[in-house]
Amino acid sequence: MKCLKTLIAAATMSLLMTISALAGQWQQDTTGWWYQNENGTYPTGWTWIDDNHDGTEKCYYFNENGYCLMNTVTPDGCTVDASGAWTVNGAVQTRSSAQQETAVTQSAEQTSNQASVSGTPGAYDLKTVWLSATGSKYHTINHCGKMNPAKAVQVSLEEAIKQGMEPCDKCFN
């Protein structure tokens, strides 16, 4: 009986070790970083990853080739830091691994452009931006830099991009 219990315990431990060994992992080549899933595939778009297995996930944006965008603004207007993690007002956004399938609302200060933040960066809803009377950048606030708030014009992000505008370095750091 004692041998059977030991055998079951050993089998259970082996199974648990195999599961952790199959977890995805970060990879790098001369082009950049990507995350390889346990099944050999790689994510594109926004993906929550608990890369150090501490129960807390960070969200990363991967381009169409699977490479993680880092220290930039993503195509949908979100900011990612030097490690590629999604940030809002400089703070890395996280969630508990237990919330994996649940939409999580993050508390964040609303700016005058009515941006809202939810648990998935793809849902970062930057609907409107501000344009100055002159210039080629769009802003999240109507008084960025030397912009005159009285002359600032609020337009949709889509319209600003159609006009060839680029994100302001201060607003989208």
Side-chain angles (χ1 to χ4, degrees), residues 19 24 30 32 45 48 51 62 67 115 130 137 156 166 172:
I19 291 170
T30 56
W48 288 96
D51 44 13
F62 298 90
Y67 287 98
W130 293 94
K137 306 284 185 180
S156 71
E166 296 182 3
F172 296 91

Side-chain angles (χ1 to χ4, degrees), residues 15-31:
L15 180 61
L16 290 174
M17 283 189 228
T18 304
I19 291 170
S20 354
L22 293 176
Q25 59 186 330
W26 286 98
Q27 304 285 329
Q28 183 183 28
D29 63 14
T30 56
T31 304

